[in-house]
Amino acid sequence: MRYALLAYSNIEAREQTTEAEQRRINAGTAEVLARPNVTGWLRLQDVDSATTVRHDRSRTLLTDGPFVDSKDFLGGFIIVEAENLDGALAVAGELQELEGTVAFEVRPVREEPLTGA
């Protein structure tokens, strides 16, 4: 089964990370990402590059920035193959230990095709 590990970061904590800490985090993360059961990784641009699309009273509204005003933001996600939730949680736990300021939300990926009209 595939699981998505959604990585949420905190803006203030990110700004306080030193270059040496970031190199250590990047090296450890690269080791995890190189595993055969880690099948995808997408990093997102900074939150100030976001545009939010909303629908209100038959109008489409575009807003610069993320949907909510928060210090936490979705920074990207990693796809892992695991036999069960415990396997996916183990990978998320390893990544979280590398960078304690990131929280990982682990969710199963829906594999069934989209149906309906």
Side-chain angles (χ1 to χ4, degrees):
M1 180 165 211
R2 291 190 313 163
Y3 290 86
L5 312 182
L6 287 74
Y8 290 92
S9 295
N10 180 280
I11 293 170
E12 291 174 354
R14 268 309 226 200
E15 292 171 350
Q16 295 175 7
T17 303
T18 67
E19 286 184 39
E21 288 172 324
Q22 193 59 55
R23 281 193 301 274
R24 178 190 60 79
I25 291 165
N26 290 347
T29 302
E31 288 179 21
V32 173
L33 295 174
R35 295 179 189 164
N37 68 318
V38 179
T39 61
W41 180 42
L42 292 174
R43 294 175 63 192
L44 302 175
Q45 294 290 336
D46 289 336
V47 293
D48 59 358
S49 69
T51 302
T52 299
V53 180
R54 291 188 180 96
H55 188 78
D56 183 36
R57 298 183 194 153
S58 302
R59 295 183 329 184
T60 299
L61 305 175
L62 302 178
T63 306
D64 290 340
F67 180 70
V68 295
D69 187 21
S70 173
K71 293 179 191 251
D72 295 329
F73 63 93
L74 177 63
F77 59 92
I78 298 166
I79 303 296
V80 299
E81 296 275 346
E83 297 236 353
N84 54 37
L85 178 60
D86 290 338
L89 291 173
V91 175
E94 285 182 66
L95 291 166
Q96 204 282 322
E97 284 180 20
L98 288 168
E99 187 171 5
T101 62
V102 175
F104 288 93
E105 177 182 338
V106 179
R107 295 176 62 181
V109 173
R110 292 181 72 169
E111 303 287 353
E112 69 272 4
L114 185 62
T115 60

